[in-house]
Amino acid sequence: MNWLRGGDADDDVFDEEGAYVPEHLPEPGAFLDGHEVLTGDDHLAVHAASRERFEEFGVYDATFGYNLAQLNRDTRHPDAGLRYAVDDVAPDVLRVEFTPTTAFCPQSGTLVTGIFRAWNASESEYRLVSVRVAPMHQHSEATNEKLAGLEERYLETGEVAVDEESPTASGADESETGTREDGGSGASSAPF
């Protein structure tokens, strides 16, 4: 199976499942600064929950054709992936920062919206999972403003917005398509 399609590949391409390899994770950015950044087993536990939720809600990277959580194991992109922190002021809030593979990744807005929805659409130990894209992305400011609006709406209503006003990304993300090897859709057509 081709590694670009998310299959099991050479040991050189993906870190072992369940291994915590800090040198293959992005550095925590501004959104996590001053909060309890998860490492070791704590990081792995939250990341395993992300992987399950992403599978359930179809949060897939259309470029690589795999569950977005697998990006953390992809040795070709050691500065990309997901980092987590527990909010210092509100410990029932999990902060998630997504660092894409490039500053111009056209899927970033769609992926972070998918992360937000996958975590907040069903119960977890957190009252809120707050998500942002890393500031290195060219549309981070606009995307993060839209995520803040989605978060505010969620806190007011208790529901994850699913309508034409829901932020999906900056305009560059709206035309994405992608197909997984199993015939499923990529991130842009996830069921949210």
Side-chain angles (χ1 to χ4, degrees):
M1 186 179 292
N2 186 332
W3 59 265
L4 279 176
R5 305 301 288 167
D8 296 327
D10 299 334
D11 291 336
D12 295 339
V13 176
F14 294 105
D15 291 322
E16 183 179 332
E17 184 77 38
Y20 179 71
V21 185
E23 58 270 18
H24 292 166
L25 296 175
E27 286 295 317
F31 186 60
L32 306 184
D33 191 33
H35 300 278
E36 182 187 340
V37 175
L38 301 182
T39 59
D41 289 342
D42 293 332
H43 169 89
L44 290 172
V46 170
H47 196 64
S50 285
R51 184 176 50 252
E52 291 172 13
R53 288 170 181 274
F54 296 171
E55 194 64 35
E56 178 182 353
F57 287 91
V59 184
Y60 268 65
D61 184 301
T63 301
F64 300 115
Y66 56 53
N67 180 313
L68 182 60
Q70 192 161 332
L71 181 57
N72 279 36
R73 295 178 47 226
D74 193 328
T75 61
R76 297 164 297 168
H77 304 288
D79 297 325
L82 299 156
R83 292 303 302 261
Y84 309 96
V86 174
D87 192 285
D88 272 357
V89 175
D92 59 348
V93 174
L94 177 68
R95 289 173 165 253
V96 180
E97 186 173 60
F98 171 64
T99 303
T101 56
T102 66
F104 51 86
C105 173
Q107 296 181 71
S108 291
T110 300
L111 291 171
V112 289
T113 301
I115 294 165
F116 177 84
R117 290 179 173 159
W119 265 101
N120 291 295
S122 59
E123 288 189 30
S124 76
E125 63 184 283
Y126 301 101
R127 173 181 56 85
L128 170 69
V129 176
S130 184
V131 181
R132 298 295 186 270
V133 67
M136 56 75 80
H137 190 267
Q138 66 178 351
H139 297 299
S140 63
E141 190 173 317
T143 300
N144 288 337
E145 284 178 19
K146 290 178 181 182
L147 282 164
L150 187 64
E151 184 177 301
E152 183 178 323
R153 186 185 227 177
Y154 171 73
L155 289 171
E156 288 173 3
T157 66
E159 296 180 9
V160 175
V162 184
D163 64 30
E164 60 278 351
E165 293 183 24
S166 295
T168 54
S170 63
D173 293 20
E174 294 174 0
S175 63
E176 297 167 15
T177 59
T179 304
R180 298 191 319 244
E181 187 172 74
D182 65 3
S185 298
S188 63
S189 56
F192 24 68

